Amino acid sequence: MTDTATRQDGPGPVLRLQDLHVHYEVRTGQGFGQVPLKAVDGVDLQIRPGECLGLVGESGCGKSSLAQAVMGLVPATSGVIELDGRTDWDRSAATRLARARTVQMVFQDPFSSLNPRQSIATSLGGPLRLHGVTNRSERADRVAEMLRKVGLNPDAARRYPHEFSGGQRQRICIARALIVDPKLVVCDEPVSALDVSIRAQIINLLLQLKDELGVALLMISHDLGVVEHMSDRIAVMYLGRIVEEGAWNAIFSDPAHPYTRTLISAIPDPERADIGHERLRGEAPSALAPPPGCAFHPRCTQAFAPCREGAVPAFTRLAEDHRARCHLLTKDTESR
C-alpha cells in the first residue's frame, strides 16, 4: 500500500481500495468508435470496522460508480477491491453470495428499491433464505427483530410497500441491508429523496445501528451537512479522483484543497465565516476529456502554471489522518 493509505492500528480494514479504476466505453456519435469515460480514476481508500466514511462531491464525479464497483454491480477496469481481507471476487454464484454477506447497499430511492408485489416478510426473508436460513419460523423471528431495530412494528411484515411512507420504506430498506449481518453497508444518497422532516430520523437511525451492530458505513452524499453529522472520516471526490481525505474535524475546520473549501463555504453556517466564501467557476469538465494537470484548475481561482501544465498532483500528507492533492500545498511562496 502506498503513502496514500490512511494509517491504522487494530483490525484490518473492512474495505480497501487500491488504485481503483472504473472506465466505461462511450460512443462518440461522430463515427470515431468508442472512447473511455474514466468515472473512477485511481482511487485509494479504506474503511475500518465500525467506521463511517463520508464520500462527497458533485453529481457526476464518480461516487456512485465507485459504490457499484464495491458492490460488484459494475466491473472494475483495474485495481484492487479488498472486502474483509478477500480480493478474489469472480462472477460465480458462491462468490456473489459471499460478497453479499460482506457488503450490502441502501439505495437512494426507497420507492423503487422494494418489489411492489412482495410483502415485507418476503423482501426481508428472501436474503435470509439465500444465505442458508431455511427454517421458516427462524426467518420470521429474524424479520420481526430487524423491523423492531429500525423502529417499525413487526406487524409490518404482512404488509406491502405501497402501504408505507417514504421514510418507512427507507427503514425497511435499511432492515433488508442489515438482516444478513454484513460488515459494510454502502449508503448511496439514502436521504436525498426524503422529506426534510424525515431525513434527520433516518440519519440518526443509521448512526444508532452502526454503533449497536458495529457495522461500517460508506456514506455517499452531495450534502455536506449530512456527511459532517455522520462521518468519522471524509473523502472529497472530483472528476474520478480523491482530492482530499481526513478526519471530519480536520476537513471542516481546516480544508486544504480549493474544491473542498468551495463545498464547505456553500454550507449556510455563520460559524464558518472564517473559511471565506469561494464560488466555483463554470461547469465541471467532462470525464471523457479531463483537463491536463490538476483537473480542477479550470475552475480554481488560485491555479498557477503547474496546475495547468504539470502532472496530476500527488497527495501531500498534512497530518497523520489528513491528505490532499494540490500543487498549492507544495508551491514555493517566492514563486507565486
Side-chain angles (χ1 to χ4, degrees), residues 248-294:
W248 74 270
N249 53 344
I251 295 293
F252 279 91
S253 64
D254 189 22
H257 196 282
Y259 179 60
T260 308
R261 288 198 293 272
T262 61
L263 294 178
I264 293 176
S265 68
I267 300 174
D269 186 348
E271 294 183 3
R272 293 196 173 93
D274 57 327
I275 293 177
H277 185 67
E278 300 187 33
R279 303 185 68 176
L280 288 175
R281 300 189 302 183
E283 299 291 332
S286 170
L288 289 170
C294 173

Side-chain angles (χ1 to χ4, degrees), residues 93-221:
T95 298
R96 291 201 301 270
L97 276 176
R99 192 173 197 149
R101 281 194 296 271
T102 306
V103 57
Q104 286 285 317
M105 192 167 187
V106 177
F107 294 91
Q108 177 178 359
D109 185 3
F111 295 94
S112 60
S113 297
L114 297 169
N115 187 333
R117 296 179 179 274
Q118 288 185 347
S119 68
I120 304 308
T122 302
S123 292
L124 270 61
L128 291 174
R129 181 174 53 80
L130 287 173
H131 290 280
V133 182
T134 57
N135 185 281
R136 183 176 297 180
S137 177
E138 183 181 353
R139 288 202 303 270
D141 290 343
R142 293 270 293 272
V143 168
E145 178 186 7
M146 188 53 65
L147 287 172
R148 291 191 189 96
K149 284 184 182 296
V150 299
L152 294 174
N153 192 300
D155 290 343
R158 299 196 300 265
R159 297 160 63 188
Y160 286 80
H162 71 271
E163 301 179 63
F164 297 93
S165 67
Q168 290 171 327
R169 291 191 198 196
Q170 197 64 300
R171 289 174 184 268
I172 293 166
C173 292
I174 293 169
R176 183 179 58 184
L178 292 172
I179 202 163
V180 296
D181 297 323
K183 300 291 183 66
L184 170 69
V185 174
V186 177
C187 302
D188 190 2
E189 303 275 10
V191 299
S192 62
L194 303 177
D195 292 342
V196 173
S197 60
I198 304 299
R199 292 180 185 180
Q201 298 176 23
I202 299 301
I203 290 168
N204 290 332
L205 173 64
L206 285 167
L207 288 174
Q208 174 190 327
L209 292 171
K210 177 181 78 74
D211 294 338
E212 181 180 340
L213 303 176
V215 66
L217 299 179
L218 173 57
M219 181 67 186
I220 297 172
S221 180

